[in-house]
Amino acid sequence: MLNALEVFTTVVVGLMVGVEFSVAFVINRILDALPEDSGQLGRAHGGRMLGAVMPVWYIGSLVLVAIWAIAGWTDQAGGLVVTAGALLIVSVVMSILLLVPINNRSKTWTPENRPADWKEQSNRWDRFHYVRVAVIIAAFALLVTALV
């Protein structure tokens, strides 16, 4: 049973990493290359869509890692799982304090109502997101290592 939990948790976190990596390095680059206001409208739509899903995914991933850490505490890899959990906590705190406030503003923007500094705010979100992606990649790598 513990083995199934370990694999399931690693897959859930890995998929989350894949989505966030794709947003950072693929989707946002595509949106930024679109003409006129299309990119900003796409980012707003993405903010609404992913803003609804990702909190559940982040918290769910953290809960799964916590269950793994508790259930497998006697395993040699317990420290790796706990460290991965700590990194996921960092990613959640970063999200709440740094990324969500910008996302909550930008998901309502249209070409008619966006602020003059909308590009700077989007770039700030991107920079924070790059750091968050690095943090969750590190957490994922620790979970994969704990499986081995």
Side-chain angles (χ1 to χ4, degrees):
M1 184 71 166
L2 180 59
N3 190 37
L5 171 67
E6 294 168 350
V7 171
F8 181 73
T9 301
T10 303
V11 169
V12 168
V13 172
L15 289 170
M16 180 178 72
V17 168
V19 168
E20 293 291 36
F21 184 90
S22 176
V23 167
F25 298 104
V26 178
I27 303 300
N28 283 349
R29 299 308 128 232
I30 291 169
L31 292 173
D32 290 345
L34 292 174
E36 299 175 16
D37 297 320
S38 300
Q40 185 264 307
L41 291 170
R43 277 181 174 252
H45 182 63
R48 288 187 298 274
M49 273 183 54
L50 292 173
V53 173
M54 296 315 287
V56 175
W57 209 338
Y58 272 82
I59 298 300
S61 295
L62 181 55
V63 168
L64 287 169
V65 169
I67 293 169
W68 178 359
I70 292 165
W73 183 248
T74 58
D75 285 355
Q76 293 174 334
L80 294 171
V81 177
V82 169
T83 305
L87 288 172
L88 290 177
I89 290 170
V90 168
S91 74
V92 169
V93 170
M94 283 182 64
S95 297
I96 292 168
L97 296 179
L98 302 172
L99 290 123
V100 169
I102 297 169
N103 189 66
N104 284 343
R105 289 189 302 271
S106 67
K107 70 184 182 182
T108 64
W109 293 341
T110 66
E112 294 78 31
N113 73 359
R114 65 187 179 209
D117 70 339
W118 72 272
K119 283 186 181 181
E120 290 81 11
Q121 290 189 53
S122 292
N123 289 337
R124 187 175 320 121
W125 187 93
D126 287 345
R127 287 190 303 274
F128 291 144
H129 184 64
Y130 294 142
V131 174
R132 178 174 63 180
V133 168
V135 169
I136 64 174
I137 286 172
F140 177 63
L142 289 169
L143 294 177
V144 169
T145 304
L147 278 177
V148 179

